[in-house]
Amino acid sequence: MPEIIIKTENAVIRQKKNTILKNVNLEIQRGEFIYIIGKVGSGKSSFLKTLYAELPLEYGKAEVAGFQLKKINGNLGDRDLLMAYCQKKDKEYWRVLYERYVPMVYGVALKYLKRTEDAQYAVMYLFDELMGRAAEHPLPEFKSWLYACVRNYCRKELQRRVAGGEVSLDEEVLEFCDEFSLEIVRKETAKEKMLQKCIC
């Protein structure tokens, strides 16, 4: 029997209390390739944002990769999502929180490790690895903690390569380790927020 990856039943897509789409019924099976087409402003982006929980699903049902979207409010802050994950042990909350920072995780890993396949592996590996660790200790600020974890993972991976004779730690890598600080991440985040405002 084909595996259903995305399923919606009578879903209502809303943004800022405005109904964008209603009675959305859809099934997408593993391996299926589909297009979402429509005029500008017809609701394509709002629909996709609902599927990855950036917009909350208020009415109807939607399931993505086994996760019930109605359980999660995409407008929750980092701290609220982390607290919900720790208290309920529901990894849907962790998924939404982690996916917010996948571009940062991938970018830092790529800068260190240089190879796209290694950066992609780091994103997947850290998703599982950090899920348990995040629930063990109170985190003062999730983004800073996540950044430090990615950096430490990459440094260990570089050390492993050096020990195996794959690469040498050249000056460029060492300079990056010293200078790529959280301040840069914060500046990039500010730029992203400004860009989102312009787009919206």
Side-chain angles (χ1 to χ4, degrees):
M1 184 176 179
E3 181 182 0
I4 296 174
I5 300 299
I6 298 175
K7 182 177 181 179
T8 66
E9 296 181 19
N10 300 318
V12 177
I13 310 302
R14 291 170 60 86
Q15 189 163 189
K16 297 180 180 179
K17 298 183 179 181
N18 295 318
T19 298
I20 309 299
L21 298 169
K22 60 183 179 180
N23 297 324
V24 179
N25 295 282
L26 175 72
E27 281 190 4
I28 301 176
Q29 298 175 356
R30 177 181 289 276
E32 236 181 333
F33 187 84
I34 69 167
Y35 290 95
I36 299 178
I37 59 176
K39 296 180 179 180
V40 174
S42 61
K44 302 184 299 296
S45 297
S46 297
F47 175 61
L48 292 175
K49 286 180 179 180
T50 302
L51 292 182
Y52 53 76
E54 184 175 330
L55 292 176
L57 179 68
E58 298 180 18
Y59 306 102
K61 297 180 181 179
E63 184 176 304
V64 177
F67 295 112
Q68 294 290 335
L69 294 185
K70 206 165 185 179
K71 290 184 179 180
I72 292 182
N73 186 337
N75 294 325
L76 290 176
D78 291 358
R79 188 175 184 83
D80 293 329
L81 282 170
L82 187 59
M83 287 179 62
Y85 164 65
C86 293
Q87 292 170 359
K88 300 180 181 181
K89 299 296 186 285
D90 188 337
K91 66 179 182 180
E92 285 188 63
Y93 294 100
W94 171 254
R95 179 186 63 82
V96 172
L97 178 58
Y98 185 83
E99 285 184 355
R100 287 180 178 177
Y101 297 105
V102 163
M104 183 190 78
V105 174
Y106 178 81
V108 174
L110 184 62
K111 185 70 175 180
Y112 271 103
L113 305 177
K114 305 299 185 185
R115 299 192 293 238
T116 57
E117 60 270 24
D118 291 339
Q120 291 169 350
Y121 176 81
V123 171
M124 294 184 292
Y125 173 82
L126 290 170
F127 173 84
D128 292 322
E129 175 68 16
L130 299 181
M131 189 187 305
R133 290 167 57 184
E136 294 174 359
H137 308 287
L139 303 175
E141 209 258 319
F142 178 77
K143 186 175 182 180
S144 300
W145 174 80
L146 179 60
Y147 170 82
C149 289
V150 179
R151 182 182 58 187
N152 291 339
Y153 166 84
C154 292
R155 284 179 169 175
K156 288 179 181 178
E157 176 62 17
L158 287 173
Q159 290 171 355
R160 185 192 66 78
R161 290 185 188 179
V162 172
E166 295 180 41
V167 297
S168 60
L169 287 178
D170 56 26
E171 292 181 1
E172 179 183 352
V173 171
L174 291 174
E175 182 180 353
F176 168 71
C177 293
D178 292 334
E179 295 184 1
F180 194 83
S181 65
L182 282 174
E183 185 61 30
I184 295 177
V185 175
R186 293 191 183 100
K187 288 180 180 178
E188 290 300 317
T189 302
K191 291 179 182 177
E192 290 174 6
K193 288 182 178 179
M194 291 177 63
L195 181 59
Q196 287 175 356
K197 288 182 181 179
C198 292
I199 294 174
C200 295

